[in-house]
Amino acid sequence: MIVRYESWGAWVKLEETAALVALDQDGARAAGLDGEDAWSLPGGGPSAPVEVHLAVTGKCAAGCEGCYLDARPDGEEPPQETLLARLDALAAQGVFTVAFGGGEPITRDDLGELAVAARARGLTPVLTTSGLGLSDARVARLDAFAQVNVSYDGAGEAYASVRGFDGARAAEAAIERLARAGVTVGVNVVLTRQSFPHLEETIRRARALGAREAQLLRYKPAGRAATLDYLARRLSVAQVDAFVPTLRAIAAEHACDEGAFHVRVDCALVPFLSGDASLAADALARFGVFGCEAGDRLAAMRVDGKSAPCSFAPPADDAELARWRAYAAAPDEPCASCTLRPVCKGGCKVVSSFVDERHGPDPECPRVRAHRRASAS
Amino acid sequence: MTREERIARGLRVVRLGHGANCSSIGSVVDTLFASAVVGGAILAAISAAVAHEKRVVVVPARPAAKEGEAVPAAAADGERAKETDEGTP
Ligand code: SF4
Ligand code: SF4
């Protein structure tokens, strides 16, 4: 196990079971761990992120319409030594997971070597790819990654509706190829007004191809998606309201409680869980659901080496990071008195910054919508 | 109370799986819809896994000791961590 002591106890990353757990001091002691000075120092302040998203290239030929990074075929590509130094820095902070992204990471010939280098530093490397150009030879170099997720928004039309071209076949071939090679493979599904109606079929198909996890992602107004078109692509109010029932149906259909398949939601989808009053904040916290962790448990390192609170946010210095954390710690109403606030942390700041031009309550959250309706009437 | 029960009582957060998304942080949610029995079984299995993993690596490495100070067992010259096979009693 890899242990990082905190003032309240310890983060423990298990090595034989894929899990990250937080133990309080008593639990840590029961596990034979002693936080020594970390438990006797007052305060402690914000500790290091548990997960960092590392852009290993700015190159990508796919040209997705909604690319949050505005990646291009001639994007910047840092040399290997630069990335190794960045991995050193993350290891020195006590980060656990490094998610390799881009651009399109598989355009790098040394991607497998970088994953091995991350492992050697005690980091857990994972990878997101479009799957375009993922040959068997390239798959063979990915065995150091703990998991590889392929972007797959659905078959044919559903994929094209999110990305502006039909890359579904290439993604499907990549999922199959990875699964055949024994790589733990998942799919990233971006939820838009156009892809949501196909979600259950998309997951069925991904699972049949060998995916063991579906990661659902909210569409966000960043990069090439930060245009008025966002308003036509984001989930409709009815779709947001149907979100939790859809999750329940997917979990039941795939017998997720037996553990063979899992469904994840990203930080920005957490506000949509508030539509179901039976989901209690303590259960969400206990099962490690992370809402907006930008600049806190999550950080991003861009291709130019600048740090950002998350991959969708602009680079930030310490003062700006403090502003992000301060808002999450003390948001406006209705977030301030919302039972889910300790987990959700006020919703997605990238969305509120685009829609309301400030860090504020997530305008698409069912509870925020209800609060605004009540305030207006 | 057994050791595993004490660990289970101290579990604040359990995040299952690795995830592999490079843009926003993901969390398994199907466990929220499982029955209390299944949820309890997951927490018990994780407590047992914590109890049984022998190798312990502490991160980040603590700063090297100043001259005259005892070198803590965990400190290492620029290396990430202390590593021991005796972390669990
Ligand atoms: S009201 Fe705010 S804190 Fe509560 S779920 Fe909505 S966005 Fe999150
Ligand atoms: S601003 Fe927060 S919720 Fe939105 S993508 Fe970034 S970390 Fe996630």
Side-chain angles (χ1 to χ4, degrees), chain A residues 271 274 334-335 338 340-341 344-347 362 365 367-368:
Chain A
S274 72
C335 301
C338 172
L340 292 192
R341 184 182 71 77
C344 173
K345 301 192 172 177
D362 193 316
C365 164
R367 291 188 187 177
V368 173

Side-chain angles (χ1 to χ4, degrees), chain A residues 61-78:
Chain A
C64 301
E65 282 175 1
C67 178
Y68 64 93
L69 280 173
D70 197 15
R72 294 172 186 278
D74 58 351
E76 182 183 345
E77 185 154 291

Side-chain angles (χ1 to χ4, degrees), chain A residues 60-68 103-104 128-132 149-154 156-168 171 187-192 194-195 215 217-219 224 233, chain B residues 21-23:
Chain A
C60 183
C64 301
E65 282 175 1
C67 178
Y68 64 93
E104 174 47 69
T128 302
T129 174
S130 66
L132 297 171
N149 273 19
V150 177
S151 299
Y152 182 62
D153 307 315
E157 186 198 324
Y159 188 108
S161 73
V162 176
R163 293 175 194 267
F165 68 98
D166 185 2
V187 288
N188 283 353
V189 186
V190 176
L191 302 182
T192 63
Q194 295 74 24
S195 70
Q215 164 73 65
L217 305 168
R218 185 165 166 193
Y219 189 66
R224 288 202 281 271
R233 290 183 173 229
Chain B
N21 177 36
C22 67
S23 60

Side-chain angles (χ1 to χ4, degrees), chain A residues 195-210:
Chain A
S195 70
F196 187 79
H198 307 283
L199 178 60
E200 290 170 83
E201 182 52 35
T202 299
I203 291 180
R204 240 171 253 139
R205 177 125 184 86
R207 191 169 180 207
L209 292 165

Side-chain angles (χ1 to χ4, degrees), chain B:
Chain B
M1 199 187 298
T2 66
R3 188 163 158 255
E4 286 176 22
E5 285 167 346
R6 282 165 48 221
I7 293 171
R9 273 178 59 139
L11 275 179
R12 284 185 169 197
V13 172
V14 173
R15 279 177 59 76
L16 296 175
H18 295 295
N21 177 36
C22 67
S23 60
S24 51
I25 195 160
S27 312
V28 169
V29 284
D30 50 75
T31 43
L32 301 172
F33 311 131
S35 68
V37 174
V38 170
I42 291 169
L43 297 178
I46 290 292
S47 304
V50 171
H52 291 122
E53 280 206 9
K54 294 273 181 281
R55 193 176 96 104
V56 176
V57 178
V58 177
V59 299
R62 293 183 172 92
K66 292 191 197 116
E67 211 178 324
E69 281 178 3
V71 178
D77 295 338
E79 68 189 44
R80 172 165 158 85
K82 129 172 124 174
E83 194 170 312
T84 170
D85 284 328
E86 296 155 15
T88 47

Side-chain angles (χ1 to χ4, degrees), chain A residues 341-354:
Chain A
R341 184 182 71 77
V343 170
C344 173
K345 301 192 172 177
C348 183
K349 314 306 176 295
V350 170
V351 172
S352 71
S353 297
F354 180 78

Side-chain angles (χ1 to χ4, degrees), chain A residues 206-260:
Chain A
R207 191 169 180 207
L209 292 165
R212 289 163 57 179
E213 189 170 277
Q215 164 73 65
L216 310 184
L217 305 168
R218 185 165 166 193
Y219 189 66
K220 302 171 195 77
R224 288 202 281 271
T227 68
L228 281 182
D229 199 33
Y230 168 75
L231 302 176
R233 290 183 173 229
R234 65 181 177 179
L235 295 182
S236 68
V237 168
Q239 288 171 329
V240 170
D241 292 343
F243 181 61
V244 178
T246 305
L247 287 180
R248 285 185 188 278
I250 292 168
E253 178 181 341
H254 296 279
C256 290
D257 55 356
E258 291 167 15

